[in-house]
Amino acid sequence: LTSSSGTRASFDFELLDEYAGSRLSGVLAVPVLLIILGLFSSLWVPPLAAAIWVALAIAANAAVILVCRRFKQTVTPEKFNARGWTASFVAAETVYGVCWSMLSLFSLVAGGQNLEVAMFAVVLVGIASNAVSTRTLPAATVVSTLPASLTVSANLVLTGGLLNYSLAAVTLGAEVFFVYLARQLPASEFEGV
């Protein structure tokens, strides 16, 4: 009755436990990645704007990490509510995804050319890294990647030009691809159960 997917509660526990473990394993790697992306972005936008984006994304990632730690420290398979924990994880990932989407605001403070290509590159790295670490919780994959995919794609389309239209299409295609992969992993694991 407490299952979030209609499967056995033990299977749900394993998926959420793996999700939490995956997020916790990147406790240092994600902030380092965000700092690198911020430094890269500062080639096109004022360093203060890049630093604010990095700080917000790191803070949102810290919130995800705190929820995952709480899950790992307090939850056992015997006392487990899949729906409640799924909702908590998805809420934290939504905040994280919204912080990633603020990347599209760089166009408001851009100082250089080729900002669109830089935003495209940064959002692809974000989609890939978030999809890999949230792969056992597909709803988390969607909410952590879709906001940035949509806002950066909209920004590219509004900027206009064939290159930007192409980059927007590739961004949306990457979103669909990585969400599909995230959905396939639990499905393939479920077939073996």
Side-chain angles (χ1 to χ4, degrees):
L1 293 175
T2 60
S3 173
S4 64
S5 62
T7 61
R8 292 182 310 195
S10 62
F11 184 68
D12 283 340
F13 178 81
E14 289 176 27
L15 289 176
L16 292 181
D17 189 57
E18 188 175 332
Y19 157 81
S22 178
R23 274 302 197 194
L24 290 172
S25 70
V27 71
L28 295 177
V30 171
V32 168
L33 174 66
L34 287 165
I35 290 167
I36 291 169
L37 293 175
L39 290 171
F40 172 73
S41 299
S42 69
L43 298 173
W44 288 272
V45 298
L48 180 61
I52 290 171
W53 175 74
V54 168
L56 288 172
I58 287 175
N61 182 64
V64 171
I65 294 300
L66 289 174
V67 174
C68 290
R69 278 197 180 139
R70 197 173 102 228
F71 174 86
K72 288 288 221 179
Q73 292 171 350
T74 63
V75 177
T76 63
E78 299 80 32
K79 295 181 180 180
F80 170 64
N81 180 335
R83 285 193 180 126
W85 279 104
T86 298
S88 294
F89 289 142
V90 168
E93 291 286 352
T94 300
V95 172
Y96 187 54
V98 168
C99 286
W100 268 93
S101 73
M102 291 180 182
L103 172 71
S104 63
L105 296 177
F106 281 175
S107 62
L108 300 176
V109 294
Q113 302 225 343
N114 298 324
L115 173 67
E116 293 80 16
V117 175
M119 282 194 316
F120 166 76
V122 171
V123 81
L124 281 188
V125 170
I127 292 169
S129 67
N130 287 328
V132 167
S133 60
T134 61
R135 66 193 177 278
T136 59
L137 187 56
T141 303
V142 171
V143 298
S144 69
T145 60
L146 188 62
S149 297
L150 291 177
T151 56
V152 169
S153 294
N155 191 306
L156 290 166
V157 168
L158 291 173
T159 302
L162 184 58
L163 174 63
N164 291 334
Y165 295 149
S166 301
L167 294 177
V170 171
T171 300
L172 293 175
E175 174 69 23
V176 170
F177 174 74
F178 280 109
V179 167
Y180 171 78
L181 285 181
R183 290 191 181 279
Q184 287 303 107
L185 182 64
S188 64
E189 287 184 17
F190 181 64
E191 287 174 6
V193 174

